[in-house]
Amino acid sequence: MHQKPASSLSAVQIAMLVLGVLMVVFIWALFVFQTMTSRAEALQARQSEHRNLALIVSESLKQMTDRAKAMGSLVVEDPEQEGDGFERLLALLAEDPVFNRLSVYDGKGDLLYSSHPDSAPSDLSQWYGQLESHLKHYGLVPLLPKREEASDSGRAEPGWRLPFLVPAGERDTLGLTRVVLIELDVGYLAGLLQHVELGPRGFIQVLDAEGAEWMRADTSGVIVGGLRVPRVQPALTGRVSSGQRTFEQDGQRFQYVFVTRAIHGFTVSVTQPFDEILGPLRSDQHKQLLLNILMTLLVGGIVFWLVRALKQQQSVLQALQLSEQRNQQLIERLEGEHARSSRAASIDHLSGLYNRRQFLDIASQALNEQRRNRRLSALLFIDLDRFKSINDSLGHQVGDLLLQAVAGRIRRMLGPDDVAARFGGDEFVVLLAEDRSESDIEQWASGLTRHLSATYELDGTELNSSPSIGIAICPRDGQTVENLLRCADAAMYSAKKAGRGQYRFFDQSLNLKDVEEFHLEQSFADALRNREFVLHYQPQVCLDSMEVIGYEALVRWHHPEFGLLFPDRFIPMAENSGFVIPLGMEVLRLACAQIAQWQRDDIPIRPVAVNVSPIQLAQQEFCQQVIDMIREHGLKTCHLELEITETAMLDANAVESLHCLKAAGVKLSLDDFGTGYSGFAHLEAVPVDKLKIDRSLIAKICNSHDDSPIVSSTIILAKRMDLKVVAEGVETREQLVHLKVAGCDIAQGYHLSRPMPPEDVPGFLRTFAEAEAVV
């Protein structure tokens, strides 16, 4: 009697302990998260500072090279004036605090003049090849040459001067006429860092194009030797590029940020150890650690008090035992009621047979038992012929009586182990699960066909009906109920095509796809009535502003059995069966309703483009129906855009509808241009505002100079006709760039966004705008 309350109390105590542990874990997890976040933010902030510093130093070096180039321009090719040029160079050199040495060489690299002949290289043979390669890529731009490695240590010690090769004069077919070697004072450059905060062990480097060190300095001045930094090969593309990495040496981690000016052949890098960057954070972390310890002790004390309080409630729980027993009796009574209600839920209320869900469960168990006993099973799919006409002409009451009579005749023919169900409408399913041969199954099906084809007397009315029956055998045609249902359904479809009152066994030659299309066509009217069609929206982006300026509405079918179906599965069938007109109006209604909903939710309104079938467009009342629908939802005509195909331009009624819609203010687009047989000559007869280039033409674009001349020509001709051009099916960035250069106005495709349900549109607009702002 006392075990159950004690057990309940123990569970509550355990729950309180678990809650306390979770709170402590949350406190410490939050501490770890904040610590890691602060650390990452500090590293990121210092990385940005170092990158800015490297950019400033590299810009200073670049300006110095510009001065060097200006000084080098004093060297001329005329021998009579070259001496005067040397004298002016020497005078400028004496006044300049940055450059302290200068040498002039001819086009072959031989020394002509030097401000310090003793230290000047006699020729530029070691650097001349670099200069020639640099000139081919960047033209007459000063260059910091690559530094030679020391033969014994593997790297040269930093020098006190930075040499820059300055091309002078004009370049002819034989090469350069003059080259000026100007050496930059490293001490002057290091002096610029006196007021820069790099920390005790932070330093800055100047590297050549291969990452070899020319100079190293900190806030105290030039450094000789010191920490060996792993060589980084800078990217030699673009004018200015940057990067960062980390490395570890002697048990310490360092942050390394660099900026490369490939056009001048040098890189500026900044290095600082992690412990200097993260030092200011440690005091705050110690305070937070102390606070976390106090919070942990507080939570532990509260949990301890609660556990003791719960123990005192033992007597109260014992007093509740009697009430709990009474509650148990009530629960048992409710469970009995639930069992009865579950049984009622498993039976079809009209026929008294099992419903679909219960049949699938029972039939699966029966099939497993049949396979264990090595006996044949047969699943029969029964569909009544002409039931829809009977239901429509005589009323639903007679139709329901017919279904009840058919269910009674089926039930009377069942054996003890057989199972029957009504799946809905006029569809019945029977599983024959006794010991029968295939001939016995055929004889049973033949008898059922005769039995169900006999005359019915319903509410004083005599009527005749017949079944179409499809039969699938287990294990020959399938091992599961689902497979047998598909096969029996296909066989039933074959029997219905053969005539009324027939039964057919499943054969592998039957086309299951045709059966599926048959069922889709049969359920199309119900789908329209039950509003199973939905719209997905694909954004259209303006290539000039990269903003979303509209959407294309694409219809989907939420089929209860086959799931989400795309237009290629049901649009051709709708056109062949005549459902395309009500489907088109349903799509227009959904689009207008969604625009109105966005308007009520204060979501930015963009025009929505809807595809219109030529069959629908040829209807005389179509124009007025569209205008009435727009007014009914309180929209403006500019909010809706209709997309037509080239076929519609060949129908006089369709062209008349287009002019009516244009006069009302509805925008028109010509869809899939380039896939049909019309051309620009037909565009003069219809008032379209946009021309959409088909995805088959866009797919051929690979961003080369001769890509898709048809697309480029189409864009040019459309522009001359004052038409906006929309490219659909844009799937790569290269296609987007090519179209923008070619003058295309609007693009849509998977590269920008896939079609999305309407509830995803607001989030997409925010993320797309943020992404474009970052770019």
Side-chain angles (χ1 to χ4, degrees):
M1 292 292 292
H2 299 282
Q3 282 300 93
K4 189 169 184 179
S7 176
S8 301
L9 182 61
S10 176
V12 175
Q13 292 174 351
I14 293 173
M16 295 303 302
L17 290 173
V18 171
L19 181 60
V21 171
L22 290 177
M23 291 180 65
V24 172
V25 170
F26 173 77
I27 292 172
W28 286 101
L30 182 62
F31 170 74
V32 173
F33 173 77
Q34 291 177 340
T35 301
M36 295 178 64
T37 303
S38 301
R39 183 177 184 275
E41 291 176 351
L43 292 174
Q44 184 66 31
R46 190 57 58 90
Q47 182 185 62
S48 299
E49 294 175 6
H50 288 171
R51 183 179 287 105
N52 292 337
L53 175 60
L55 284 170
I56 292 171
V57 174
S58 67
E59 180 63 24
S60 298
L61 282 176
K62 186 257 183 186
Q63 293 177 3
M64 294 175 186
T65 59
D66 292 342
R67 290 170 56 190
K69 185 175 181 181
M71 294 174 65
S73 63
L74 297 176
V75 178
V76 297
E77 298 183 21
D78 189 353
E80 297 179 359
Q81 299 180 10
E82 197 165 37
D84 296 337
F86 292 158
E87 292 300 326
R88 289 196 298 273
L89 282 176
L90 187 59
L92 290 174
L93 188 66
E95 299 174 357
D96 197 299
V98 180
F99 302 106
N100 54 13
R101 295 174 185 270
L102 179 145
S103 302
V104 181
Y105 298 81
D106 61 14
K108 297 180 180 179
D110 296 327
L111 180 65
L112 297 178
Y113 170 78
S114 175
S115 62
H116 296 73
D118 296 338
S119 61
S122 59
D123 60 66
L124 298 179
S125 58
Q126 58 178 340
W127 293 333
Y128 199 75
Q130 301 177 31
L131 182 60
E132 283 293 329
S133 175
H134 186 76
L135 292 177
K136 292 179 181 179
H137 289 87
Y138 303 106
L140 302 176
V141 179
L143 167 69
L144 177 69
K146 298 175 184 177
R147 190 169 192 197
E148 296 183 352
E149 299 285 349
S151 59
D152 54 347
S153 64
R155 70 184 180 103
E157 290 297 326
W160 292 92
R161 293 183 295 275
L162 290 178
F164 281 93
L165 300 176
V166 182
E170 298 294 334
R171 186 177 183 184
D172 55 20
T173 56
L174 299 177
L176 287 170
T177 56
R178 294 291 184 270
V179 179
V180 179
L181 174 63
I182 297 181
E183 298 180 82
L184 181 69
D185 186 357
V186 172
Y188 174 81
L189 184 61
L192 299 176
L193 304 177
Q194 292 180 359
H195 304 291
V196 176
E197 179 58 39
L198 287 176
R201 289 178 290 170
F203 57 87
I204 190 169
Q205 294 175 286
V206 178
L207 313 173
D208 62 16
E210 292 182 348
E213 182 182 281
W214 270 107
M215 183 207 81
R216 179 183 298 194
D218 58 11
T219 55
S220 301
V222 177
I223 303 174
V224 178
L227 177 71
R228 181 183 292 272
V229 180
R231 179 174 293 191
V232 176
Q233 180 66 44
L236 298 180
T237 57
R239 299 181 63 86
V240 179
S241 60
S242 63
Q244 66 89 22
R245 58 170 293 184
T246 59
F247 66 92
E248 187 171 341
Q249 196 168 98
D250 298 331
Q252 289 189 342
R253 295 187 66 193
F254 292 80
Q255 182 171 268
Y256 182 73
V257 180
F258 60 90
V259 173
T260 301
R261 288 187 179 269
I263 191 171
H264 294 290
F266 67 84
T267 297
V268 177
S269 67
V270 181
T271 304
Q272 190 173 12
F274 272 41
D275 56 357
E276 289 185 4
I277 299 174
L278 303 176
L281 296 176
R282 291 173 181 166
S283 60
D284 294 337
Q285 292 175 357
H286 291 161
K287 296 178 182 178
Q288 187 64 38
L289 178 62
L290 179 60
L291 180 61
N292 276 29
I293 293 174
L294 294 176
M295 289 293 293
T296 302
L297 294 176
L298 178 61
V299 171
I302 293 174
V303 171
F304 177 75
W305 178 81
L306 288 175
V307 170
R308 290 193 60 186
L310 288 172
K311 288 183 179 180
Q312 296 174 0
Q313 302 300 319
Q314 183 73 32
S315 59
V316 177
L317 291 175
Q318 292 175 353
L320 295 176
Q321 280 187 339
L322 181 59
S323 176
E324 185 177 355
Q325 292 175 358
R326 293 175 180 175
N327 290 338
Q328 184 65 34
Q329 293 175 357
L330 291 175
I331 291 173
E332 292 175 355
R333 189 181 304 170
L334 289 174
E335 287 178 348
E337 294 293 335
H338 176 70
R340 285 190 291 272
S341 63
S342 298
R343 173 173 174 78
S346 66
I347 301 299
D348 178 61
H349 70 282
L350 182 62
S351 64
L353 302 177
Y354 288 118
N355 58 23
R356 182 188 186 99
R357 184 186 65 181
Q358 190 68 18
F359 174 83
L360 293 177
D361 294 338
I362 296 177
S364 297
Q365 300 173 8
L367 277 181
N368 293 333
E369 184 66 24
Q370 289 287 97
R371 285 198 298 269
R372 280 195 295 269
N373 295 329
R374 297 182 179 277
R375 296 190 298 192
L376 289 180
S377 301
L379 192 143
L380 286 73
F381 200 103
I382 306 164
D383 185 269
L384 298 182
D385 300 326
R386 298 173 51 249
F387 177 76
K388 187 176 185 302
S389 61
I390 294 174
N391 211 23
D392 294 341
S393 60
L394 300 179
H396 291 285
Q397 181 180 358
V398 175
D400 291 346
L401 292 175
L402 175 61
L403 294 176
Q404 292 173 352
V406 169
R409 294 184 181 186
I410 292 175
R411 189 184 298 110
R412 286 191 291 272
M413 292 191 63
L414 297 177
D417 297 331
D418 299 335
V419 185
R422 175 173 174 257
F423 272 23
D426 59 338
E427 294 179 346
F428 295 86
V429 178
V430 174
L431 177 67
L432 300 181
E434 294 187 345
D435 189 9
R436 294 183 176 93
S437 63
E438 190 165 344
S439 61
D440 295 334
I441 294 172
E442 182 175 5
Q443 185 178 358
W444 194 93
S446 177
L448 179 64
T449 303
R450 291 193 305 271
H451 201 47
L452 297 183
S453 300
T455 302
Y456 296 86
E457 184 175 350
L458 306 173
D459 197 19
T461 302
E462 289 189 358
L463 58 86
N464 292 308
S465 181
S466 58
S468 294
I469 303 176
I471 309 170
I473 303 296
C474 175
R476 183 187 68 190
D477 300 327
Q479 298 284 337
T480 64
V481 177
E482 290 77 9
N483 290 337
L484 291 174
L485 278 173
R486 283 195 293 270
C487 295
D489 194 12
M492 184 276 295
Y493 176 70
S494 175
K496 189 172 286 291
K497 289 177 62 178
R500 299 172 184 172
Q502 302 285 333
Y503 65 88
R504 289 287 185 273
F505 283 87
F506 175 76
D507 184 83
Q508 295 294 332
S509 62
L510 296 179
N511 192 336
L512 295 177
K513 183 177 180 182
D514 291 340
V515 178
E516 182 178 308
E517 290 181 356
F518 168 77
H519 284 289
L520 288 178
E521 183 176 349
Q522 293 294 315
S523 59
F524 211 102
D526 291 335
L528 288 170
R529 185 165 48 254
N530 299 332
R531 294 190 173 177
E532 297 175 0
F533 294 97
V534 296
L535 296 184
H536 286 192
Y537 298 86
Q538 186 171 41
Q540 296 178 337
V541 178
C542 175
L543 293 183
D544 287 336
S545 61
M546 292 306 292
E547 295 180 353
V548 177
I549 63 171
Y551 309 94
E552 180 179 359
L554 302 172
V555 65
R556 305 287 189 264
W557 185 356
H558 265 304
H559 196 280
E561 181 179 355
F562 302 117
L564 188 66
L565 302 180
F566 288 84
D568 57 341
R569 293 281 300 277
F570 58 86
I571 291 296
M573 178 190 64
E575 291 177 344
N576 295 332
S577 60
F579 283 111
V580 70
I581 295 177
L583 176 61
M585 296 308 299
E586 173 68 5
V587 171
L588 285 170
R589 185 195 66 79
L590 289 172
C592 291
Q594 187 59 58
I595 297 173
Q597 184 63 44
W598 283 335
Q599 199 169 27
R600 289 191 295 270
D601 296 340
D602 293 330
I603 297 173
I605 302 300
R606 306 286 190 273
V608 174
V610 178
N611 290 276
V612 179
S613 170
I615 300 174
Q616 185 177 11
L617 196 61
Q619 303 297 311
Q620 293 183 354
E621 67 277 8
F622 176 71
C623 177
Q624 189 59 43
Q625 288 176 343
V626 173
I627 296 173
D628 293 342
M629 188 172 295
I630 293 174
R631 291 174 180 171
E632 178 184 347
H633 288 86
L635 305 178
K636 299 178 181 179
T637 53
C638 62
H639 292 158
L640 190 65
E641 181 178 311
L642 300 183
E643 294 188 359
I644 64 172
T645 58
E646 298 174 355
T647 309
M649 300 191 311
L650 305 179
D651 188 280
N653 292 334
V655 173
E656 183 178 350
S657 295
L658 293 176
H659 283 285
C660 175
L661 292 167
K662 180 67 176 180
V666 178
K667 298 293 184 181
L668 302 174
S669 298
L670 181 60
D671 196 14
D672 299 334
F673 186 83
T675 60
Y677 43 79
S678 65
F680 283 94
H682 293 86
L683 292 179
E684 298 178 353
V686 291
V688 295
D689 303 283
K690 294 180 183 178
L691 186 147
K692 298 189 70 173
I693 302 177
D694 188 70
R695 64 181 66 247
S696 61
L697 298 178
I698 302 300
K700 300 177 183 178
I701 296 177
C702 299
N703 209 29
S704 62
H705 68 280
D706 57 350
D707 271 336
S708 189
I710 297 177
V711 174
S712 302
S713 302
T714 301
I715 293 174
I716 294 172
L717 291 174
K719 291 288 188 178
R720 291 184 179 179
M721 298 182 68
D722 198 23
L723 297 178
K724 293 285 186 180
V725 181
V726 183
E728 55 182 358
V730 178
E731 298 186 354
T732 66
R733 180 176 178 82
E734 289 75 14
Q735 293 173 349
L736 192 69
V737 172
H738 181 93
L739 291 167
K740 187 171 183 179
V741 172
C744 183
D745 300 295
I746 304 168
Q748 68 181 84
Y750 283 3
H751 177 70
L752 298 168
S753 173
R754 290 177 176 268
M756 68 190 80
E759 58 269 17
D760 294 348
V761 169
F764 167 79
L765 290 176
R766 289 192 299 270
T767 56
F768 187 81
E770 292 170 359
E772 291 302 321
V774 171
V775 174

